[in-house]
Amino acid sequence: MKDHLQLRSIFECDSRYKLEAYYYVLETLDFARSQLGMGHCEPAAVSFSSGDEELDEPENVVQHISGGELCEAIRIRALGMFGLMAKTVFQQWGITTTDDFGEIVYNMVEAGKMQAASSDCREAFHQVYDFQKVFCDDFRFHEDWNSLLHAA
């Protein structure tokens, strides 16, 4: 319930993006770590995290996911979940470029739902890929997407 209220308050501050977009990015952060093995260990106090990790212990570390890695995880997960409809789903959520993922991430960082390393920046999300190219022009059916998504 706390997560829902926290995300709803973020959405109310910046309604350019649907509430589903915030959930999707947050869920994809965990997907990137657990299913794709992305990230490298950093002190929890200075890395993109879901905000659920305990931050008081200095030895506590999380897998830091860069902006580019998160965009790649979003692409993989979207193709597996939505197929050829990925671009349309994102458009319905107000997302038209990878820059929008950066805006969503930094809205959550500012609200304390995620954390960013000092080396992270919005520019890391700038034009990582073209939606038309990756979600439409280059689309290929892959049998392994289904098993990858269901392993989560």
Side-chain angles (χ1 to χ4, degrees):
M1 184 68 161
K2 178 184 168 190
D3 283 345
H4 178 72
L5 293 175
Q6 198 171 24
L7 289 177
R8 182 165 286 291
S9 69
I10 296 168
F11 167 74
E12 289 170 357
C13 290
D14 184 352
S15 60
R16 290 178 292 171
Y17 311 107
K18 300 283 188 195
L19 189 56
E20 292 87 350
Y22 289 96
Y23 279 110
Y24 184 83
V25 169
L26 196 56
E27 291 165 1
T28 302
L29 183 65
D30 291 330
F31 172 80
R33 289 184 186 122
S34 64
Q35 299 304 309
L36 301 178
M38 290 181 170
H40 59 279
C41 292
E42 285 193 4
V46 293
S47 65
F48 280 146
S49 71
S50 62
D52 297 330
E53 292 87 359
E54 184 63 41
L55 301 179
D56 295 332
E57 299 297 321
E59 61 274 356
N60 189 14
V61 295
V62 295
Q63 286 179 271
H64 176 264
I65 305 292
S66 71
E69 287 174 320
L70 183 56
C71 285
E72 180 62 9
I74 288 169
R75 182 190 69 79
I76 292 168
R77 188 166 178 245
L79 287 168
M81 289 180 72
F82 308 125
L84 282 169
M85 294 297 296
K87 181 180 173 191
T88 301
V89 169
F90 286 142
Q91 285 175 331
Q92 291 295 312
W93 291 347
I95 301 169
T96 58
T97 70
T98 57
D99 296 73
D100 292 317
F101 297 132
E103 292 298 313
I104 289 167
V105 164
Y106 277 91
N107 282 346
M108 289 193 279
V109 167
E110 290 167 10
K113 185 62 184 155
M114 295 176 84
Q115 292 146 13
S118 59
S119 61
D120 290 326
C121 61
R122 279 184 167 88
E123 291 75 27
F125 294 89
H126 182 63
Q127 296 181 356
V128 174
Y129 48 76
D130 176 81
F131 279 25
Q132 177 65 35
K133 180 170 176 23
V134 301
F135 294 128
C136 302
D137 299 344
D138 293 347
F139 182 82
R140 301 289 179 268
F141 287 98
H142 293 282
E143 295 174 15
D144 59 335
W145 283 347
N146 197 27
S147 61
L148 178 66
L149 292 173
H150 288 94

